Structures are given as C-alpha cells and as structure tokens.
Amino acid sequence: DNLNGVTVTTSVSTAVLGTSFPPSASVFSDDAKGAIVDVLNFLTIKGSPLMVNVYPYFAYASDPVHVRQDYALFTATDAVVVDGNLTYHNLFDAMVDAVYWAMEKEGVHNHNVGVAVSESGWPSAGKGNFTTPKLASAYNKHFKQHILSKAGTPKRPGAHIEGFIFAMFNEDLKPAGVEQNWGLFYPNMKPVYPVF
C-alpha cells in the first residue's frame, strides 16, 4: 500500500472509556468499543501507537473533593490509589494505565500497540483557583519531567511514552474561559508563565 514506512495513527480522548476507576477495571464504552477495536486492529498491523489526550485537570476540576490536587499535579508523595499490586502517586499514570487495561481486555497488548500522549496540559486561567499560571506551570513542568524520566507507568514500568504539551499559544478565538487559556504563550509571543 502507499503508507509503507509512514506511521499512521489517530487520537482519542479518555472519554472512550466507559469505566476508568480503578485502572484495572477500565473498559471501553459500549458506544466507542466497535470503532476503537477496529482502530486497535489497524494499529496492531501497522505497529503504530494509539494517541490519547490525557487531562488530569478535568478530573480534578470536576471533583476537587475526591481528586486531590497533588495527585493531579504529579506532586503527591504518598500512594493515592492502590489497585491490586499497583500503586499510583499521580493521576496521569492512572489514566494512561486505564487505557492499557481497556486495550488488554480487547486482546491488544503493549507489544502490539503502545500509547502516546497526544495532548496534556493545564489551563492558566478561566476557572478561579483551579486555573492559575502557578498550577499550569507546575503541571507542565512535572509532566515534562515524568515523560523524560522514561519511568513508564505502574502497569508498564519503563515503557516509552511520548508526550506532547497542549498548547503552544492561548487561543483568543475560542469560547471565553478555560478553553482560551491552555497556552504556554499569549498570541503576542509573551510567555504566560516562565516556561520550565
């Protein structure tokens, strides 16, 4: 075919999961399952990763009573979630492992299809105390360190996970609030906060 030598993949959000907590209980939603299984079969043939948008911010902002801020920001010093023999100190790893578990339940394993993080980040404004430049800077700094550590996740220790920060620029034309404020820079190229 005309795609030989070219990596082909697609991005999905974690909304394709019907259940995601604890990670080992994760399955794809009934609505997504048919399509995602077809995608995973294609990726297995191609040897390409599944790209997933992973946003601990949304879990934290939607339930700050039950989702600890330090768990969402990679700064928890204790195990926040224990899932069988796996312990989670950060929500990012739990979210990535939830995808791995759901894939395994469809017969797709890491040696067939890996996971790459196509988007992750934290907004710097738009929702009061949940979105500040300090929190956005902390998340992106720790996300970068975690990806570069090559530690993988509790389920896949040492697995290479490629990760991309969303976004380069704030987007003034998006709806007012959080959606405008994911950028590392304002549209005029001035940093929103010190970049690492």
Side-chain angles (χ1 to χ4, degrees):
D1 63 46
N2 292 331
L3 298 175
N4 286 339
V6 176
T7 301
V8 178
T9 187
T10 192
S11 293
V12 298
S13 82
T14 52
V16 297
L17 299 172
T19 302
S20 61
F21 183 83
S24 64
S26 296
V27 293
F28 292 114
S29 71
D30 291 340
D31 289 342
K33 188 172 182 176
I36 200 76
V37 168
D38 288 343
V39 167
L40 291 171
N41 289 334
F42 176 82
L43 297 178
T44 298
I45 292 166
K46 286 297 183 185
S48 299
L50 177 67
M51 299 195 79
V52 182
N53 299 338
V54 180
Y55 285 104
Y57 162 76
F58 287 116
Y60 168 66
S62 67
D63 191 4
V65 172
H66 296 105
V67 179
R68 288 174 29 184
Q69 185 180 83
D70 62 345
Y71 184 56
L73 290 173
F74 294 96
T75 57
T77 56
D78 57 326
V80 178
V81 171
V82 177
D83 184 6
N85 63 348
L86 303 178
T87 58
Y88 292 91
H89 290 74
N90 67 75
L91 181 53
F92 175 87
D93 281 349
M95 294 173 80
V96 171
D97 277 357
V99 175
Y100 280 131
W101 279 106
M103 287 170 42
E104 281 188 10
K105 289 174 183 152
E106 300 305 325
V108 177
H109 298 274
N110 190 49
H111 60 273
N112 304 117
V113 177
V115 169
V117 177
S118 43
E119 293 182 13
S120 196
W122 197 284
S124 61
K127 191 170 179 177
N129 293 335
F130 298 113
T131 56
T132 66
K134 183 177 179 181
L135 292 175
S137 177
Y139 179 84
N140 285 321
K141 179 179 116 183
H142 293 114
F143 170 73
K144 179 190 94 163
Q145 290 170 345
H146 190 61
I147 293 295
L148 292 178
S149 75
K150 300 185 181 183
T153 66
K155 182 164 178 52
R156 295 281 180 260
H160 172 70
I161 299 174
E162 195 168 6
F164 297 88
I165 292 175
F166 182 85
M168 180 71 79
F169 295 101
N170 277 351
E171 299 178 84
D172 292 348
L173 298 180
K174 282 191 171 178
V178 169
E179 288 304 313
Q180 289 185 349
N181 294 290
W182 291 87
L184 300 176
F185 298 91
Y186 294 106
N188 66 5
M189 304 285 287
K190 178 183 174 188
V192 176
Y193 46 84
V195 181
F196 316 122

